[in-house]
Amino acid sequence: MDLTGQEPRISVVMPHLDDLANLDACLAHLAAQRMPPERYEVIVADNGSRAGLAAVEAVAAGRARVVAAPERGAGPARNAGVAAARGAILAFIDSDCRPSPDWLVAGEAALAADGAAWSDRAGSDVVGGAVRVIAADAAAPSAVEAYELVFAFRNDLYVRRKGFTVTANMFVSRAVFAAVGPFANGVSEDVEWCHRARALGFRLGYAPACIVAHPARRSWDELARKWRRTTREAHALAPVGLLGALRWLARAWLVLLSALPQSWRILRSSDLPARRTRLGAVMVLLRIRGFRFAEAHRLAFGLSQEVVR
């Protein structure tokens, strides 16, 4: 990546908090991109890591610029990275992701092919790429990993059915980002931002060749922490009033009841060849859907706990 002062074409923006090992791995993958290094830069927006900014800078040395993002939250951290970016294209990724060698090339090509310029309204202005979930040991995933291999990061469905892309793999021109505005805090920032972009008339597209890998969560605590946070963020975006509350509770019941048909999906999954692994994933599915159901009701009645990032 370019650290010479020359203006890059693409700015990779990555929030970071207390995950130096994954940050190091992600930066190694970014340094191995099949794109001339002068055409892109990498910006790490540190969100107040306990190790301190100097420790983050030591990991990033020669591979990225580090900026401080004192306001806690993934949205504000991404905004701090954007403020420091110099590229005409913004490529968003998370610090625990592993971009494929062609990630930047494919992302730039998808954005160009989709006509992501102000003057071309025929294609997409925002592009989401594929996110492939990987287990630490592909031959013997834990029950939680097996569940994630089936259900986590279905960005193709998010783009095509739900109207948003995860910010773990998102490309957008600086001009479009400026028009939409910064990410919000305290909500699912990727969902809220993409919905705001679409409300302004910008189009969202999916690029299957633009690939990042994401390690599956391995423990119940990791999975529960994720769903407590995302459920709270979703609740923050839910409509207010009696009708909104009823819709929220109905959604909670649908989440719970969907566990039964989704269990069949696990049992038939070709990604989980071992019968024992599939049964373990089913147990995690039933447990997490019950957890989400309970958390949704705690939120609805003002009883939910504070979330620790």
Side-chain angles (χ1 to χ4, degrees), residues 108-160:
E108 181 183 27
L111 205 58
D114 278 341
W118 285 89
S119 60
D120 186 348
R121 310 304 304 141
S124 301
D125 303 287
V126 184
V127 170
V131 182
R132 293 181 178 172
V133 180
I134 55 175
D137 182 354
S142 69
V144 171
E145 285 180 312
Y147 164 83
E148 288 245 306
L149 287 171
V150 176
F151 292 104
F153 287 109
R154 293 300 309 276
N155 206 35
D156 55 338
L157 299 182
Y158 301 159
V159 170
R160 292 165 178 160

Side-chain angles (χ1 to χ4, degrees), residues 277-289:
T277 302
R278 294 180 185 180
L279 292 176
V282 168
M283 296 305 295
V284 171
L285 168 68
L286 297 175
R287 186 180 179 188
I288 199 62
R289 293 295 169 91

Side-chain angles (χ1 to χ4, degrees), residues 75-92:
R78 296 186 211 280
N79 294 335
V82 170
R86 297 176 295 156
I89 293 174
L90 302 172
F92 292 97

Side-chain angles (χ1 to χ4, degrees), residues 1 3 27 55-66:
M1 69 297 307
L3 299 175
L27 290 175
V56 180
E57 290 174 334
V59 172
R63 300 183 292 183
R65 285 191 291 136
V66 178

Side-chain angles (χ1 to χ4, degrees), residues 47-265:
N47 212 194
S49 292
R50 289 187 293 267
L53 201 63
V56 180
E57 290 174 334
V59 172
R63 300 183 292 183
R65 285 191 291 136
V66 178
V67 298
E71 182 183 353
R72 281 297 182 97
R78 296 186 211 280
N79 294 335
V82 170
R86 297 176 295 156
I89 293 174
L90 302 172
F92 292 97
I93 194 171
D94 288 343
S95 61
D96 54 355
C97 288
R98 312 286 190 267
S100 66
D102 291 319
W103 179 61
L104 286 175
V105 172
E108 181 183 27
L111 205 58
D114 278 341
W118 285 89
S119 60
D120 186 348
R121 310 304 304 141
S124 301
D125 303 287
V126 184
V127 170
V131 182
R132 293 181 178 172
V133 180
I134 55 175
D137 182 354
S142 69
V144 171
E145 285 180 312
Y147 164 83
E148 288 245 306
L149 287 171
V150 176
F151 292 104
F153 287 109
R154 293 300 309 276
N155 206 35
D156 55 338
L157 299 182
Y158 301 159
V159 170
R160 292 165 178 160
R161 297 183 185 178
K162 299 186 178 182
F164 78 95
T165 173
V166 295
T167 35
N169 192 356
M170 183 178 108
F171 285 74
V172 62
S173 70
R174 174 184 288 278
V176 169
F177 186 87
V180 177
F183 291 107
N185 198 10
V187 298
S188 298
E189 77 278 357
D190 43 13
V191 176
E192 192 275 339
W193 190 92
C194 287
H195 287 178
R196 190 163 14 114
R198 294 176 65 239
L200 290 173
F202 295 116
R203 299 184 182 184
L204 176 64
Y206 180 66
C210 181
I211 302 167
V212 302
H214 190 290
R217 291 164 183 84
R218 302 195 67 191
S219 69
W220 170 257
D221 286 345
E222 289 178 300
L223 190 64
R225 187 161 54 247
K226 168 202 169 181
W227 279 109
R228 181 176 288 116
R229 172 179 57 81
T230 55
T231 303
R232 285 179 63 94
E233 291 172 345
H235 185 257
L237 293 175
V240 298
L242 179 59
L243 183 57
L246 292 175
R247 288 178 61 185
W248 173 259
L249 292 174
R251 179 178 179 271
W253 278 96
L254 287 174
V255 166
L256 180 67
L257 296 175
S258 68
L260 294 178
Q262 295 289 2
S263 297
W264 182 243
R265 177 179 167 188

